[in-house]
Amino acid sequence: MIPAAAYVELDINALRHNVGRVKELAPKSKIIAVIKANAYGHGLELVASNLAAQVDAFAVARIDEALRLRAANIQGRILVLQGFSGPDELLLMQHNQLEAVIHSEQQVDLLETENLPAGLPVWIKIDTGMNRLGFRPEQFSDVLQRLLQCRNVQAEINFMTHFANADDLQDDKTTRQLQLFNATTKGCAGLRSSANSAAIIAWPATHQDWVRPGLMLYGASPLLNQSARQLELLVVMNFYSRIVVIKQVKKGEAVGYGGSWVATKDILLGVISIGYGDGYPRYAKPGTPVLINKQRVPLVGRVSMDMITVDLTGHTDIKTGDQVLLWGAGLPVEEIAGYADTIPYTLLCGITRRVQVIVKK
Ligand SMILES: *Cc1c(COP(=O)(O)O)cnc(C)c1O
């Protein structure tokens, strides 16, 4: 097969290494690998099948993602973070042995009124300050009692919460959320889970029975002031394309849509086959680096659907057809995210279907 211009190379050994880092950081906790949104753009089935032996459970956001995992013969525990929203989904979850996060009164009502062939494993989500999903602490004991008495619920009920600010080491909100979670569930039989990647790394007191790493599994840092390298995480996704053509642009000429970038001297321009149609961020600013032959060269002009342009002036060794790294080992996705006023999460999960996937084992 002729290689596509734009492709991601996924390093499975790096993925496995990063699970090992989670184990080193939280040695007493079980691991729920978070693989929602197509495993942060890395491929749901691919990531699940390669991690199944190393982790204790998977988490996805929605039922359709969990069903894809079952269809791919992933047989272990799968948490659905948004749970079910109607009787059909409830039955489907039970039928496929999925575990539901219970966060709303409607879900409890449904569990009490439906008639399932066997009990559903559930996790009660407590909202300790994120104000997104979950019961308020004052609702918790009532919900727990109802679920304990519900014949459609499996006996062991687990508890979870989610942190809003764990990536900010100066902010004591994480500590306050943890204290509220612990006080709310105090003395209740059941396992606890609160830590996302940032909390696994920065807030050891949050590790509890189960940790829920997402971003760090893919080798990106969730913390602003610490790089993946410093955290000993290895990059999984390397995003490549190549140079389509190299040409001269004269001083005073504009490059790209809108003509917003104008050459202030004669330059050598490289046109690269990558754009927002592949998931390269439309809002990457001029100056955003790409890596060619281990050299950083700056983006100039606007990102278009299929192409970007870079300034190759002075890089006489760079030729048409040369490989270009958009992000990956040696060019952190966190850094590119900074140039595009976004976070590494959006870049990773934004890779589109046009991009070829190459798996490096
Ligand atoms: C996405 C998600 C995670 C993982 O978060 P990361 O920051 O990627 O580690 C954990 N828990 C819940 C509830 C989530 O939605």
Side-chain angles (χ1 to χ4, degrees):
M1 191 166 67
I2 302 172
Y7 64 98
V8 287
E9 188 182 72
L10 302 175
D11 184 343
I12 301 300
N13 287 324
L15 185 67
R16 296 222 174 93
H17 165 91
N18 296 334
V19 177
R21 282 297 290 148
V22 175
K23 289 188 180 169
E24 283 170 10
L25 289 161
K28 301 200 181 98
S29 308
K30 289 192 177 187
I31 299 178
I32 304 173
V34 180
I35 56 173
K36 62 197 180 187
N38 200 31
Y40 292 47
H42 294 69
L44 181 66
E45 293 88 350
L46 177 80
V47 168
S49 58
N50 280 288
L51 291 188
Q54 247 185 312
V55 302
D56 304 285
F58 291 113
V60 290
R62 306 184 187 144
I63 295 174
D64 56 300
E65 297 175 298
L67 294 179
R68 269 175 61 189
L69 290 174
R70 287 291 185 240
N73 207 21
I74 298 295
Q75 292 169 349
R77 298 178 66 171
I78 303 174
L79 264 72
V80 177
L81 295 169
Q82 295 179 6
F84 51 87
S85 63
D88 297 348
E89 287 191 356
L90 173 54
L91 257 168
L92 202 54
M93 285 198 71
Q94 196 281 322
H95 184 71
N96 287 280
Q97 288 169 305
L98 305 175
E99 307 193 12
V101 171
I102 304 297
H103 53 78
S104 74
E105 291 278 351
Q106 294 97 301
Q107 291 176 317
V108 181
D109 294 343
L110 265 175
L111 280 166
E112 285 175 340
T113 50
E114 292 301 307
N115 195 4
L116 301 181
L120 187 75
V122 301
W123 296 66
I124 301 180
K125 184 155 191 184
I126 304 169
D127 181 0
T128 53
M130 178 85 163
N131 276 307
R132 210 176 50 180
L133 293 187
F135 296 100
R136 291 184 162 271
E138 57 272 23
Q139 296 174 284
F140 171 74
S141 76
D142 176 53
V143 169
L144 178 60
Q145 285 318 309
R146 284 174 67 187
L147 292 179
L148 283 170
Q149 283 157 23
C150 179
R151 66 194 145 76
N152 288 325
V153 171
Q154 226 173 58
E156 188 189 90
I157 297 178
N158 301 304
F159 313 121
M160 63 182 283
T161 194
H162 192 50
F163 297 122
N165 299 17
D167 57 339
D168 185 348
L169 310 192
Q170 314 313 324
D171 192 331
D172 72 346
K173 178 155 181 171
T174 303
T175 304
R176 284 185 281 121
Q177 283 194 260
L178 181 68
Q179 282 168 355
L180 184 54
F181 181 55
N182 287 340
T184 306
T185 57
K186 192 164 187 243
C188 301
L191 300 177
R192 289 163 180 73
S193 175
S194 56
N196 58 3
S197 296
I200 291 167
I201 293 162
W203 304 90
T206 65
H207 290 172
Q208 305 189 302
D209 303 300
W210 291 86
V211 290
R212 304 193 306 268
L215 189 69
M216 69 184 293
L217 296 177
Y218 309 101
S221 171
L223 304 176
L224 282 179
N225 57 356
Q226 272 182 296
S227 67
R229 169 180 276 203
Q230 287 171 318
L231 298 170
E232 294 172 51
L233 299 169
L234 297 180
V235 168
V236 178
M237 180 191 289
N238 293 287
F239 188 19
Y240 290 109
S241 187
R242 62 188 177 210
I243 301 181
V244 181
V245 68
I246 298 175
K247 56 179 64 177
Q248 312 275 345
V249 171
K250 293 210 158 53
K251 178 179 176 179
E253 290 180 343
V255 174
Y257 284 120
S260 58
W261 192 86
V262 177
T264 55
K265 57 180 177 24
D266 291 356
I267 65 157
L268 204 55
L269 188 81
V271 181
I272 298 168
S273 188
I274 204 80
Y276 60 80
D278 304 290
Y280 192 84
R282 163 77 173 73
Y283 294 106
K285 295 188 199 40
T288 305
V290 306
L291 205 62
I292 309 175
N293 301 347
K294 302 208 160 65
Q295 304 161 67
R296 286 177 173 230
V297 300
L299 184 80
V300 298
R302 278 192 201 155
V303 172
S304 43
M305 188 184 286
D306 313 309
M307 280 174 272
I308 60 172
T309 41
V310 296
D311 182 356
L312 296 180
T313 310
H315 297 274
T316 44
D317 59 311
I318 295 177
K319 316 177 296 299
T320 296
D322 279 0
Q323 189 188 52
V324 179
L325 182 72
L326 289 325
W327 62 69
L331 188 63
V333 66
E334 299 91 312
E335 195 182 328
I336 305 304
Y339 279 98
D341 291 329
T342 184
I343 53 176
Y345 297 78
T346 67
L347 298 189
L348 294 176
C349 76
I351 295 289
T352 68
R353 293 179 67 167
R354 177 164 73 174
V355 177
Q356 188 176 8
V357 177
I358 296 175
V359 179
K360 187 171 131 201
K361 296 229 178 187

